[in-house]
Amino acid sequence: MSSYIRFDWAMKRLLRNKANFAVLEGLLTTLLNDKITIQKLLESESNQEEEFDKYNRVDMLAEDSKGTLLLIEIQNNNEYAYFQRMLFGTSKLVTEYINRGEGYDKVRKVYSINIVYFSLGHGKDIVYHGKTEFRGIHQNDLLELSPFQRQTFKVDTVSQLYPEYYILKVNDFNQVAKTPLEEWIYYLNTGEIPEKAQAPGLDAARERLKLDKMSKDELKAYYRHLDNIVILRDNIHTERAEGRAEGLEEGRAEGLEEGRAKGVEEARKQSAVRMKAKGFSAEDIADITGLSLEEIADL
């Protein structure tokens, strides 16, 4: 069981506090390879607490010191039209954050950062970057800005005027972290921070995202969240298995229900083991995890 809070929970409950911006700034600085300072958080869809979405995804919209909009989204469950959803999200921001009557030179730069816990598309890498470029059909030359446009917009390339997309396929990372970005992906994947990790923001995460800093009520809510994540991921694996096998509908339903129950039970036991090591009383562990005192005693 990890010593640190999952990043999606931290985004929803902790990182919206300005005192904790350093964690998010560290991730963005590492990913974009540019010093990012968050000025404020803006309204995002995370305020909509639909029962499914509040476990399946978390999003946050930030504005940095340059006026750039940064949309960070975590998606737990599979979504086949996720690429189009990324496009919709940035398009919506472009139109919402320009006032009626303003010139097109006031269109804001948008970064869409997508942390996905499912197999999106088909590719071998763990981090993908998408941007807009214009190439000649006949000469294959890259269309560039004029000197006046460079000076006016204070950018070097056309692609810097358009939304850019980053996709972090964190579940596919299964190696030793050797770079700052890999250190972040390792944390996003496992919930653990390597002892020697030096990536920007991870020191702040070590200090502020520790499980043992949470109250009893916060832990109860957090472990309920983990239970739901287990169910969501089990659904993904079950759906894939069902697609490969042509069993009876009744057999598939039984397998799904059994898989859900086993996943939730294992998560609760792992949580209880860690809480015992932290010195929690058996009664508190039972209250938080839902396990019986006998089950806790056997761990």
Side-chain angles (χ1 to χ4, degrees):
M1 185 67 181
S2 170
S3 304
Y4 300 96
I5 300 166
R6 271 179 58 101
F7 195 71
D8 57 348
W9 180 268
M11 271 183 50
K12 184 175 283 288
R13 299 297 182 97
L14 300 174
L15 300 186
R16 298 175 188 277
N17 185 331
K18 191 168 185 177
N20 296 326
F21 279 4
V23 178
L24 193 58
E25 288 171 343
L27 171 60
L28 296 172
T29 293
T30 303
L31 179 63
L32 303 181
N33 197 28
D34 187 23
K35 176 62 177 174
I36 301 296
T37 302
I38 296 176
Q39 292 294 100
K40 59 183 176 180
L41 298 181
L42 306 171
E43 192 77 6
S44 74
E45 293 185 18
S46 281
N47 294 320
Q48 300 172 8
E49 289 288 312
E50 289 87 353
E51 186 63 27
F52 177 74
D53 271 352
K54 68 181 179 181
Y55 300 117
N56 181 42
R57 71 182 178 96
V58 181
D59 65 15
M60 178 182 288
L61 179 59
E63 180 182 51
D64 72 5
S65 55
K66 302 173 185 176
T68 300
L69 299 176
L70 302 134
L71 178 61
I72 306 102
E73 181 163 329
I74 296 177
Q75 175 85 6
N76 283 301
N77 205 10
N78 189 25
E79 185 169 336
Y80 80 97
Y82 192 80
F83 289 115
Q84 293 94 319
R85 177 167 150 182
M86 290 164 48
L87 173 62
F88 177 81
T90 56
S91 301
K92 188 176 178 183
L93 290 180
V94 167
T95 56
E96 284 184 351
Y97 283 89
I98 186 170
N99 295 323
R100 184 180 296 275
E102 284 187 320
Y104 296 129
D105 59 316
K106 302 299 182 184
V107 168
R108 306 275 287 277
K109 174 71 176 184
V110 178
Y111 284 101
S112 172
I113 295 98
N114 301 271
I115 301 168
V116 299
Y117 287 89
F118 66 96
S119 182
L120 176 60
H122 181 71
K124 298 179 180 179
D125 213 318
I126 54 173
V127 180
Y128 288 88
H129 177 210
K131 60 182 180 180
T132 301
E133 292 182 336
F134 297 90
R135 288 195 172 273
I137 293 176
H138 301 97
Q139 303 297 327
N140 196 37
D141 62 314
L142 186 66
L143 184 62
E144 299 180 348
L145 296 172
S146 69
F148 174 74
Q149 288 172 320
R150 289 196 187 97
Q151 182 179 5
T152 302
F153 303 136
K154 296 180 173 57
V155 295
D156 296 320
T157 65
V158 174
S159 64
Q160 290 175 279
L161 298 174
Y162 282 77
E164 295 186 42
Y165 302 88
Y166 286 87
I167 299 172
L168 283 65
K169 300 176 67 174
V170 295
N171 276 357
D172 294 341
F173 185 74
N174 56 4
Q175 60 196 50
V176 176
K178 298 179 180 178
T179 67
L181 183 54
E182 288 179 350
E183 291 172 352
W184 260 105
I185 293 174
Y186 181 86
Y187 164 58
L188 295 171
N189 183 18
T190 67
E192 292 288 356
I193 301 175
E195 184 178 346
K196 297 182 179 180
Q198 297 181 344
L202 287 182
D203 276 345
R206 281 194 190 96
E207 176 63 25
R208 300 167 192 180
L209 303 186
K210 289 182 179 178
L211 276 175
D212 55 16
K213 288 195 169 186
M214 299 175 77
S215 68
K216 179 180 173 181
D217 287 342
E218 288 171 335
L219 277 173
K220 287 179 68 173
Y222 178 64
Y223 287 129
R224 282 197 302 270
H225 174 76
L226 293 187
D227 287 348
N228 281 281
I229 295 300
V230 169
I231 292 172
L232 283 171
R233 292 192 179 175
D234 184 70
N235 283 346
I236 295 173
H237 296 308
T238 301
E239 287 166 4
R240 288 176 180 170
E242 287 176 352
R244 290 191 295 265
E246 294 184 357
L248 295 173
E249 183 66 28
E250 181 180 349
R252 290 201 300 266
E254 290 176 356
L256 173 60
E257 199 59 41
E258 181 181 355
R260 285 178 175 176
K262 287 183 179 179
V264 171
E265 185 69 15
E266 182 60 27
R268 288 176 177 172
K269 288 182 177 180
Q270 290 180 6
S271 300
V273 168
R274 173 152 187 84
M275 293 168 71
K276 284 182 73 173
K278 291 287 186 182
F280 281 73
S281 70
E283 290 75 14
D284 282 347
I285 296 174
D287 187 31
I288 291 171
T289 64
L291 296 174
S292 68
L293 293 176
E294 291 77 14
E295 289 173 313
I296 294 167
D298 291 338
L299 295 176

